[in-house]
Amino acid sequence: MTVAYERLHANLKALKLPTVESIVDSYLESTSAKGRSVIEVLDYLVDQEAKARQTSIAESRMRLARFPARKAIEDFDFEFQPSVDKTVVRELATLRFIHNAENVLLLGPAGVGKTHLAIALGLVAAKAGLSVYFSTVFDAMNRLKKAEQRGTFDIAMRSLVQPRLLILDEIGYLPMDREGAHLFFRVVSDRYEKGSMILTSNKTFAEWGEVLGDPVMASAVLDRLLHHSTVVHIKGESYRLRERRRMIGQRGGASLPVERKRVKGEGEK
Ligand code: ADP
Ligand code: MG
């Protein structure tokens, strides 16, 4: 018995089954194990190990993704933003688009929820154990430029090409220089039909020529991006402005400066 007991624990450690190793003794002594068949006991223990492993993979995926905030689809008010089709977002949340290496483009003015939806879909993917990377396009291109100077370009490029889902936020808020536009084209080309991207932009596709500083490059980028894609045009009011107006309405005009400060201090951006 002692030999078996010790060998069991040693093997559980060696085989890297830490959850089973830590719960097996107490579980076998517990009332819930009594009256269960051997198969049921084994199933319970192995299932606990599998669940713990899934949770730890999901947590590390979420950390590696570098989301700027946690946003969920359930927290998105679809009634406030009727231009966003709930069915389309639900379909995207099945992650089929990632398995098919398709892209998602979220377009619309500031504050309508583009980043919110991009993060929310990214979180669903990370929780499902897929590798995700989130960055503003500006930061991602700057990192590539710096890596090029340091001679680590390939490593930096791999970090943008390898994840199953790459989210590039805020295309068009800042114009790209020639090198930035060229690097952006390379990322899009390297991922084409291999890995999904979610892109957000406050500019229409017609304006991307200006954003990239080169209409020919912009049409080559859009050609690849849109080949297999879902485009969500979000029209309507900024959610932040709505929130601010609501607060002003509730408290009366006299409290306006205080409310302004509070909204600004929310730290969403
Ligand atoms: P955008 O990226 O389009 O500028 P954000 O996604 O950053 O806008 O949204 C601004 C803020 O408003 C965020 O805190 C976001 O969570 C919230 N928000 C935007 N739209 C909605 C919505 N329809 N329901 C709930 N929260 C929303
Ligand atoms: Mg945004």
Side-chain angles (χ1 to χ4, degrees), residues 15-260:
L15 295 170
K16 297 201 166 45
L17 298 164
T19 305
V20 178
E21 211 264 324
S22 71
I23 65 172
V24 63
D25 292 348
S26 56
Y27 181 66
L28 291 179
E29 281 163 21
S30 72
T31 44
S32 46
K34 303 271 181 285
R36 292 205 177 178
S37 68
V38 176
I39 282 290
E40 281 170 333
V41 168
L42 278 175
D43 172 53
Y44 174 81
L45 291 171
V46 173
D47 194 45
Q48 293 304 302
E49 187 70 56
K51 283 190 176 126
R53 208 168 280 191
Q54 258 168 21
T55 308
S56 116
I57 290 172
E59 273 163 13
S60 93
R61 292 299 192 207
M62 283 191 267
R63 250 194 340 270
L64 289 170
R66 295 180 185 268
F67 296 116
R70 295 274 164 110
K71 300 282 175 183
I73 290 169
E74 299 78 56
D75 300 332
F76 193 84
D77 183 351
F78 286 91
E79 272 169 39
F80 174 74
Q81 211 57 268
S83 62
V84 180
D85 188 341
K86 204 173 176 172
T87 326
V88 171
V89 175
R90 277 218 196 106
E91 159 61 27
L92 292 172
T94 65
L95 306 179
R96 200 162 33 171
F97 78 100
I98 300 181
H99 294 282
N100 296 337
E102 293 169 4
N103 301 313
V104 178
L105 288 104
L106 302 165
L107 304 181
V112 293
K114 302 182 296 295
T115 304
H116 184 129
L117 287 173
I119 294 173
L121 290 169
L123 265 174
V124 174
K127 282 183 184 160
L130 301 178
S131 53
V132 181
Y133 190 71
F134 181 105
S135 173
T136 64
V137 73
F138 184 74
D139 286 349
M141 296 312 117
N142 273 347
R143 232 172 302 124
L144 284 180
K145 283 183 205 169
K146 281 194 190 130
E148 204 161 24
Q149 287 157 11
R150 289 195 202 115
T152 53
F153 182 78
D154 288 351
I155 299 169
M157 191 67 183
R158 226 175 293 140
S159 74
L160 296 179
V161 174
Q162 266 180 353
R164 293 289 302 278
L165 173 63
L166 174 67
I167 304 174
L168 290 181
D169 199 18
E170 299 190 345
I171 289 155
Y173 279 91
L174 298 167
M176 290 182 195
D177 60 15
R178 200 168 164 69
E179 195 188 355
H182 193 84
L183 291 169
F184 179 53
F185 173 75
R186 271 198 67 175
V187 172
V188 171
S189 297
D190 282 14
R191 294 190 65 92
Y192 178 58
E193 294 189 332
K194 282 190 233 125
S196 289
M197 299 178 77
I198 298 180
L199 303 179
T200 79
S201 180
N202 62 334
K203 296 285 198 292
T204 62
F205 294 137
E207 293 168 316
W208 279 39
E210 245 169 79
V211 172
L212 275 77
D214 179 343
V216 178
M217 178 105 70
S219 82
V221 163
L222 285 171
D223 199 41
R224 285 165 179 74
L225 282 178
L226 298 175
H227 187 192
H228 311 284
S229 67
T230 302
V231 181
V232 180
H233 289 277
I234 314 180
K235 299 174 195 85
E237 211 194 346
S238 157
Y239 195 79
R240 291 192 199 99
L241 284 182
R242 199 270 303 243
E243 291 286 278
R244 187 193 301 188
R245 198 167 306 138
R246 256 180 158 186
M247 280 196 255
I248 294 167
Q250 268 171 19
R251 311 251 174 125
S255 60
L256 181 64
V258 178
E259 298 305 347
R260 267 209 184 121

Side-chain angles (χ1 to χ4, degrees), residues 258-269:
V258 178
E259 298 305 347
R260 267 209 184 121
K261 223 168 125 202
R262 279 186 50 176
V263 172
K264 247 179 117 182
E266 272 176 9
E268 290 293 339
K269 283 260 152 173

